[in-house]
């Protein structure tokens, strides 16, 4: 029998002890999470002289016919989720995320953001330079340190000071955003690795089922022909159908990842708009700390959304997602850099609100487009391929059950002890 799971360069032979996986595409992500296949009730095993006999409860045993039917049904159910191709794509996506070049450059003595003194009145110099201790606090990337620096600058209710310190605050923001970007990428890597672990567990289980089924078939077909010409023909057709489904399964995983990241982007932008609207509602109060905190929360939510959006576009490198342009993303990033000083002046605050609101609306439209595009194209193709493979698997199962039932009607199934 030559069963296998494959997609692009990924092939797994049922009788092979190793798997060769080649990355066919550079990134991964589906809009709906494939439901994990529930584990059927596992029969109890008893081991005697290194041979495991399957029992279906106290005093009950499993026939060869029942064992083959159970194994094949479990295999078909798990194969339908294409864990092999999805794992290949998910592992490739982890590598893509890890290969993203860090934007942070280490501080040096020649760096203009290091080694600048404090002026006597305790306010940081306005020439864009930072003292060593302030630079180190920014390196922590926390809102608390940035909050204290902005409070010391006293710009929230003073337009003149805001204008004087604008480029200095912009440098602080750029540095903090660089650190944030690396943090967000690390979080995406951790999430992607968890996805790989889930798929790897399913894939390993599928391999064990393959090995057990092959061992069973060896006892039924000792001459290694694996059945009649009809069975061999169905087996070949099934492998072709599986190959088509598995290739589509890898693409489905890419769309899954992109869809999830786009939804995260939309959620982050929605939070950004809410924070910025709240700033507008409380701008007249004299609580500078509250305004700065809200602005920092808005920046963090929006910046996380931008990083997720970049990743979503990388996950579908050959798909042009509509409603979102590079120009829009550049405008949003520019708004984040000058967020602290823009909130001081009403016209600039209003412009920033418009930038956030329009971009949030466009990303929401892009999310709907991705879902509709997936449902109208790839999902239909995948469902059709899965149905074709499932029907062929059932026909092959029926043929083999007929043969096994005729040749070994009452033979008890003895499971090899080496099977996990």
């Amino acid at each position: 029998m030559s069963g296998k799971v494959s997609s692009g360069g990924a092939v797994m032979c049922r009788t092979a002890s190793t798997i060769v996986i080649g990355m066919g595409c550079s990134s991964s992500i589906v809009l709906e999470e494939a439901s994990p296949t529930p584990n059927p009730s596992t029969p109890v095993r008893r081991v005697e002289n290194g041979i495991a006999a399957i029992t279906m409860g106290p005093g009950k045993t499993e026939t060869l016919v029942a064992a083959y039917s159970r194994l094949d049904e479990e295999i078909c159910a798990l194969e339908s989720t294409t864990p092999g191709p999805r794992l290949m794509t998910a592992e490739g996506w982890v590598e893509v995320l890890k290969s993203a070049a860090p934007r942070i450059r280490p501080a040096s003595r020649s760096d203009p953001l290091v080694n600048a003194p404090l002026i006597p009145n305790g306010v940081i110099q306005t020439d864009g330079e930072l003292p060593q201790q302030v630079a180190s606090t920014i390196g922590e990337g926390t809102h608390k340190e940035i909050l204290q620096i902005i409070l010391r600058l006293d710009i929230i209710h003073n337009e003149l000071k805001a204008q004087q310190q604008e480029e200095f605050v912009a440098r602080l923001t750029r540095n903090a955003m660089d650190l944030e970007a690396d943090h967000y990428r690390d979080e995406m890597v951790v999430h992607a690795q968890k996805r790989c672990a889930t798929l790897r567990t399913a894939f390993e289980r599928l391999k064990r089922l393959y090995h057990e089924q092959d061992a069973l078939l060896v006892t039924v077909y000792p001459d290694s022909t694996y059945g009649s010409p009809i069975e061999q023909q169905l087996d070949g057709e099934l492998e072709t159908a599986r190959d088509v489904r598995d290739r589509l399964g890898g693409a489905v995983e890419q769309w899954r990842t992109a869809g999830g990241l786009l939804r995260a982007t939309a959620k982050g932008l929605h939070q950004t708009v809410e924070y910025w609207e709240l700033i507008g509602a409380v701008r007249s109060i004299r609580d500078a700390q509250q305004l700065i905190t809200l602005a920092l929360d808005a920046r963090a939510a929006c910046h996380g959304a931008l990083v997720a959006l970049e990743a979503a576009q990388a996950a579908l490198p050959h798909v042009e997602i509509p409603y979102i342009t590079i120009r829009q993303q550049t405008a949003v990033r520019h708004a984040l850099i000058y967020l602290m000083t823009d909130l001081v002046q009403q016209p600039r605050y209003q412009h920033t609100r418009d930038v956030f609101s329009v971009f949030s609306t466009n990303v929401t439209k892009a999310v709907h487009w991705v879902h509709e595009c997936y449902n109208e194209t790839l999902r239909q193709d995948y469902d059709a391929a899965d149905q074709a493979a499932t029907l062929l698997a059932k026909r092959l199962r029926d043929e083999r059950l007929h043969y096994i039932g005729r040749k070994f009607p009452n033979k008890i199934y003895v499971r090899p002890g080496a099977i996990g």
Side-chain angles (χ1 to χ4, degrees):
M1 189 172 184
S2 58
K4 62 187 176 184
V5 174
S6 63
S7 176
V11 177
M12 182 193 76
C13 295
R14 294 188 182 181
T15 56
S17 59
T18 59
I19 302 172
V20 179
I21 294 182
M23 189 60 200
C25 49
S26 62
S27 53
S28 74
I29 277 197
V30 134
L31 310 189
E32 55 188 32
E33 183 69 38
S35 300
T37 305
N39 291 330
S41 299
T42 303
V44 180
R45 287 193 297 162
R46 68 175 189 274
V47 179
E48 298 176 357
N49 299 324
I51 297 179
I54 301 296
T55 62
M56 306 307 291
K60 296 183 180 179
T61 56
E62 188 179 28
T63 65
L64 209 59
V65 172
Y68 179 80
S69 180
R70 171 182 57 81
L71 286 170
D72 201 61
E73 287 175 3
E74 289 184 37
I75 287 172
C76 288
L78 196 51
E79 274 184 340
S80 186
T81 66
T82 59
R86 287 174 186 259
L87 175 60
M88 179 192 72
T89 304
E91 289 178 335
W93 176 239
V94 170
E95 294 306 314
V96 169
L97 293 175
K98 286 183 176 180
S99 67
R103 298 181 179 182
I104 305 305
R105 51 184 173 80
S108 64
R109 293 189 176 275
S110 61
D111 194 320
L113 298 184
V114 178
N115 298 328
L118 291 171
I119 59 177
N121 64 4
V123 179
I124 302 174
Q125 287 184 337
T126 62
D127 59 359
E129 297 183 346
L130 282 174
Q132 178 71 48
Q133 60 267 36
V134 173
S136 65
T137 61
I138 294 175
E140 298 297 323
T142 63
H143 284 192
K144 181 179 179 181
E145 286 76 12
I146 300 294
L147 171 65
Q148 295 302 317
I149 294 172
I150 301 300
L151 283 173
R152 289 171 62 187
L153 292 175
D154 190 28
I155 63 174
I156 296 303
H157 297 293
N158 190 317
E159 290 191 21
L160 178 60
K161 286 186 177 180
Q163 292 175 1
Q164 292 174 341
Q165 302 282 10
E166 184 168 61
E167 289 306 318
F168 170 72
V169 174
R171 291 192 183 194
L172 287 179
T173 302
R174 288 190 185 96
N175 195 5
M177 287 175 63
D178 283 345
L179 290 164
E180 281 181 348
D182 284 347
H183 173 69
Y184 293 142
R185 290 191 193 96
D186 289 342
E187 287 186 333
M188 285 193 290
V189 169
V190 171
H191 184 272
Q193 288 174 332
K194 290 180 179 178
R195 171 66 175 168
C196 287
T198 299
L199 291 170
R200 190 173 296 109
T201 298
F203 195 34
E204 291 299 322
R205 178 168 170 253
L206 181 58
K207 287 194 295 179
R208 290 194 297 270
L209 290 171
Y210 277 153
H211 289 316
E212 183 175 359
Q213 187 185 59
D214 280 348
L216 185 153
L217 289 173
V218 166
T219 66
V220 175
Y221 302 102
D223 57 356
S224 300
T225 59
Y226 280 21
S228 66
I230 295 179
E231 291 178 53
Q232 295 180 46
Q233 178 184 347
L234 288 172
D235 193 22
E237 292 176 0
L238 176 58
E239 293 309 316
T240 300
R242 282 172 173 161
D243 185 66
V244 173
R245 179 183 59 192
D246 290 347
R247 290 176 185 277
L248 291 171
V252 163
E253 182 67 17
Q254 283 187 270
W255 282 75
R256 176 200 158 275
T257 307
L261 288 169
L262 274 178
R263 287 194 301 272
T265 300
K267 181 178 179 180
L269 290 172
H270 179 72
Q271 292 175 334
T272 302
V273 172
E274 288 185 339
Y275 283 132
W276 201 244
E277 293 286 359
L278 187 56
I279 288 174
V282 299
R283 279 179 70 235
S284 59
I285 67 173
R286 304 305 298 175
D287 190 344
Q289 181 168 335
Q290 181 182 3
L291 289 173
I292 296 170
T293 299
L294 287 171
L296 289 173
D297 288 341
R299 190 198 72 194
C302 189
H303 189 212
L306 284 178
V307 174
L309 176 59
E310 291 174 358
Q313 292 172 318
L316 292 177
H318 303 300
V319 176
E320 184 176 350
I321 302 175
Y323 306 110
I324 303 172
T325 65
I326 297 297
R327 183 177 179 180
Q328 288 176 329
Q329 296 176 62
T330 301
V332 172
R333 188 174 297 278
H334 185 271
L336 294 183
I337 292 172
Y338 292 93
L339 201 67
M340 289 297 175
T341 49
D342 282 353
L343 68 84
V344 179
Q345 302 178 42
Q346 178 60 30
R348 293 172 66 172
Y349 166 82
Q350 181 65 41
H351 174 72
T352 300
R353 187 179 71 171
D354 294 340
V355 169
F356 288 158
S357 180
V358 170
F359 193 59
S360 178
T361 299
N362 288 344
V363 169
T364 299
K365 292 179 180 178
V367 171
H368 291 315
W369 179 87
V370 168
H371 276 267
E372 290 175 0
C373 185
Y374 166 74
N375 286 327
E376 293 175 2
T377 56
L378 182 59
R379 180 173 182 173
Q380 294 183 16
D381 292 341
Y382 180 81
D383 287 347
D386 182 49
Q387 184 179 18
T390 300
L391 290 175
L392 283 168
K394 186 178 183 305
R395 289 176 58 191
L396 179 59
R397 184 190 313 141
D398 291 342
E399 286 287 332
R400 285 188 172 149
L401 286 175
H402 178 71
Y403 174 81
I404 297 172
R406 187 176 69 249
K407 189 172 182 179
F408 308 101
N410 300 311
K411 184 174 181 179
I412 300 302
Y413 175 55
V414 178
R415 187 173 187 241
I419 300 294

